[in-house]
């Protein structure tokens, strides 16, 4: 390898690479006082026939779209054109997503299945009436308002290995007692393993924890 000549450029002669001549912090190197804000979230939909479902409940929490996004479920607000929340929980790509209508808790129940045969029941824990979807509200500049970080809180209520193949479809129907609908649902799941399974779901809200005893 030839040695560098006097005419060959060196890293010290390149603009912007000269070493600092002082130990005092340079004003140009200081981190500016800026704040980062989330402007937009883009999450692609999985290529599955039943990987998306639109909630048609006419109530707070309704009107949203849920779809499979790789191993998560994305909750999307069409009015605000934004993803409100992504729900991680599956270990395989999500193949089916279905809203479970509930007159007492609209927009608060979801069921999803994945390519490994697992089925998850989701429940939204915050009250949609108290935390409306910020995606449908615009500010003075026409941008969607920021989402309340305490809104759209979801948790996994149940998770089960339901099939030995990908879950292709799922649907929940009301159950009745003496002609009146109950809090239970009959969930039907169909899979590529050539099986159709029936499951009973109890959507009754869990009782509030008892307050700690006072002494």
């Amino acid at each position: 390898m030839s040695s560098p000549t006097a005419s060959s450029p060196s890293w010290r002669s390149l603009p912007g690479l000269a070493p600092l001549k002082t130990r005092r912090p340079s004003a140009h190197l200081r981190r500016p006082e800026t704040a980062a804000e989330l402007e937009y979230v883009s999450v692609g939909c999985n290529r599955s026939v039943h990987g998306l479902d639109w909630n048609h409940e006419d109530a707070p929490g309704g009107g949203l779209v849920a779809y499979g996004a790789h191993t998560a479920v994305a909750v999307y607000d069409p009015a605000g054109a934004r993803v409100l929340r992504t729900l991680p929980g599956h270990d395989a790509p999500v193949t089916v997503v279905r809203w479970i209508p509930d007159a007492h808790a609209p927009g608060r129940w979801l069921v999803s299945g994945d390519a490994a045969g697992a089925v998850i029941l989701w429940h939204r824990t915050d009250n949609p009436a108290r935390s409306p979807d910020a995606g449908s509200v615009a500010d003075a500049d026409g941008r969607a308002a920021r989402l309340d970080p305490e809104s759209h809180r979801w948790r996994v209520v149940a998770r089960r290995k339901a099939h030995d193949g990908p879950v292709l479809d799922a649907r929940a129907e009301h159950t009745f007692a003496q002609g009146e609908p109950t809090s239970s649902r009959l969930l039907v799941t169909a899979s590529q393993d050539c099986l159709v399974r029936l499951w009973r779901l109890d959507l009754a809200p869990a009782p509030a924890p008892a307050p700690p005893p006072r002494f």
Side-chain angles (χ1 to χ4, degrees), residues 111 119 162-163 167-171 187-191 195-199:
V111 63
V119 174
H163 294 275
V167 183
L168 301 180
D169 200 2
R171 186 177 180 89
L187 175 66
V188 183
T189 59
S191 169
L195 292 178
V196 174
R197 296 186 183 274
L198 302 180
W199 313 87

Side-chain angles (χ1 to χ4, degrees), residues 32 36 49 52 55 57 59 75-76 105 115 119 125 140 163 166 173 188 192 204:
V49 175
L52 179 148
N55 187 303
E57 295 174 285
V75 180
Y76 180 83
V119 174
T125 56
H163 294 275
E173 294 292 345
V188 183
Q192 193 171 319

Side-chain angles (χ1 to χ4, degrees), residues 91-106:
D91 297 326
V94 176
T95 52
V96 58
V97 178
R98 285 286 183 265
W99 291 97
I100 303 177
D102 188 352
H104 301 289

Side-chain angles (χ1 to χ4, degrees), residues 37-41 77 79-84 132-149 151-152:
E37 295 183 2
L38 181 64
E39 290 290 340
Y40 183 74
V41 177
D77 176 22
R82 65 191 293 181
V83 174
L84 300 175
D133 303 321
S136 59
V137 181
D139 59 15
D141 297 330
R143 298 182 304 175
R146 287 183 294 177
L147 181 67
D148 182 358
S151 68
H152 285 278

Side-chain angles (χ1 to χ4, degrees), residues 14 18 23 26 33 54 68 78 96 106 117 153 180 191-192 199 207:
L14 297 178
R23 293 186 177 182
S26 170
E33 298 295 331
W54 197 319
V96 58
R153 292 296 182 181
E180 296 294 331
S191 169
Q192 193 171 319
W199 313 87

Side-chain angles (χ1 to χ4, degrees), residues 148-189:
D148 182 358
E150 297 302 320
S151 68
H152 285 278
R153 292 296 182 181
W154 293 80
R155 69 181 181 94
V156 175
V157 176
R159 186 182 190 278
R160 181 155 185 170
K161 172 73 171 178
H163 294 275
D164 292 328
V167 183
L168 301 180
D169 200 2
R171 186 177 180 89
E173 294 292 345
H174 285 277
T175 59
F176 294 85
Q178 298 180 352
E180 296 294 331
T182 69
S183 61
S184 297
R185 297 291 188 278
L186 191 64
L187 175 66
V188 183
T189 59

